[in-house]
Amino acid sequence: MTTMSAPVDVLPDLVSLKVALDGPVAEVTLLGPSKGNAMGPDFWRELPQVFAALDADARVRAVVLTGSGKHFSYGLDLPAMMGGWAPLLAGDALAGPRTEFHTEVKRLQEAVSSIAECRKPVVAAISGWCIGGGVDVVTAADIRLASADAKFSVREVKVAIVADIGSLQRLAPIIGEGHLRELALTGKDIDAARAEKIGLVNDVYEDQETLLARARELAAEIAANPPLVVQGTKQVVSATTERQVAEGLRYVAAWNAAFLPSKDLAEAVQAFLERRAPEFKGE
């Protein structure tokens, strides 16, 4: 497998992602650089650039998306991303800070949606932890596979946030509304066996090496089919769902811009930084 320079030949030097090409299959690997491939500013800037380039590159017919190291992603890199939230935590956020936050949420949403909007089918290969923003990302993929050690969590409720980057919109067609409500309202962790049972992942493999081999084989199987028909099939299957997703994303961006600022959010952030359990009061 050779590293690509980028239309994938016009990509700038990447920090948070690595892109490699093996015949018609591109492989995108999350690099971090934060622990557990946490998603900081570099990731949110680079993700839409990479998937726009993959969409435009005629050589690419399918994509494998995975994480480096033991984990797919710990999700949003809170310390790295908190700077833009500071005005909301001050207590009296007016229209200006709320508008800026709304714009930022939409930017992150569009970054994740670049995966769903890429005409090339995307196979997510998930090992270890896949938390919060990691779930947003894999639900935007077409097919999800996991290794036996994979664990998933829609954890935003535990940090006083309504998940707003795509999980609440994309999970229901995948796992059903009942399972979505359970995961999103509890913030609980589920293992790979439960994820397979509810349809979050198609198959579970014994280890990361086997998982990656199978993901590459599946992507190659897709890539062997007529490319325009494959792309058309993805677009037709996604047409109704993505219209509903777009409406839901608009709604949650507006909702969070209006209601996110709270004492509970400030408490969640402080508890995170102090590595203690938060005490929520509904304020």
Side-chain angles (χ1 to χ4, degrees):
M1 187 174 293
T2 56
T3 299
M4 291 193 292
S5 57
V8 176
D9 301 320
V10 297
L11 283 172
D13 291 336
L14 299 173
V15 175
S16 69
L17 298 167
K18 180 177 71 174
V19 185
L21 184 64
D22 187 4
V25 176
E27 190 162 312
V28 179
T29 305
L30 280 63
L31 300 178
S34 300
K35 184 178 179 181
N37 303 320
M39 301 167 172
D42 290 321
F43 174 83
W44 297 108
R45 182 183 67 256
E46 293 175 356
L47 186 67
Q49 295 175 347
V50 165
F51 275 90
L54 294 171
D55 180 82
D57 196 323
R59 296 171 297 175
V60 177
R61 296 188 177 188
V63 181
V64 172
L65 176 63
T66 192
S68 61
K70 295 181 179 180
H71 303 288
F72 184 81
S73 178
Y74 286 172
L76 192 71
D77 187 342
L78 279 174
M81 300 294 289
M82 280 304 300
W85 295 10
L88 289 179
L89 300 177
D92 296 309
L94 298 177
R98 290 175 190 267
T99 300
E100 291 175 7
F101 179 77
H102 182 262
T103 300
E104 177 68 357
V105 170
K106 288 180 70 65
R107 183 179 73 89
L108 303 190
Q109 290 176 344
E110 289 165 2
V112 171
S113 291
S114 70
I115 301 170
E117 292 166 1
C118 178
R119 290 172 297 172
K120 318 302 172 64
V122 180
V123 179
I126 306 148
S127 294
W129 279 110
C130 181
I131 302 172
V135 178
D136 292 316
V137 164
V138 301
T139 54
D142 297 279
I143 300 167
R144 287 154 296 280
L145 307 177
S147 56
D149 68 343
K151 290 183 284 188
F152 302 82
S153 182
V154 183
R155 197 174 288 184
E156 285 85 348
V157 69
K158 290 187 174 293
V159 289
I161 297 172
V162 175
D164 57 9
I165 310 178
S167 291
L168 299 187
Q169 291 72 35
R170 292 190 171 96
L171 270 174
I174 297 169
I175 65 174
E177 193 169 302
H179 290 305
L180 165 58
R181 289 175 184 266
E182 179 183 350
L183 296 184
L185 294 173
T186 64
K188 69 187 347 178
D189 306 333
I190 62 169
D191 61 16
R194 176 76 191 281
E196 183 179 26
K197 182 178 180 180
I198 65 177
L200 178 54
V201 300
N202 288 18
D203 293 293
V204 175
Y205 299 93
E206 60 185 21
D207 54 38
Q208 187 177 37
E209 182 179 359
T210 306
L211 164 68
L212 275 173
R214 181 55 188 138
R216 291 164 181 160
E217 290 170 5
L218 180 56
E221 186 178 352
I222 292 169
N225 288 323
L228 296 181
V229 174
V230 168
Q231 294 170 30
T233 299
K234 172 172 177 171
Q235 289 174 306
V236 170
V237 170
S238 301
T240 300
T241 300
E242 284 304 308
R243 281 198 298 270
Q244 295 171 341
V245 167
E247 181 179 350
L249 290 175
R250 285 193 298 272
Y251 183 83
V252 73
W255 199 98
N256 266 356
F259 297 112
L260 182 69
S262 68
K263 291 183 180 179
D264 280 347
L265 175 59
E267 165 64 10
V269 172
Q270 193 63 32
F272 174 82
L273 296 175
E274 295 175 0
R275 299 181 181 276
R276 60 173 174 81
E279 298 180 13
F280 295 129
K281 300 179 180 180
E283 298 178 355

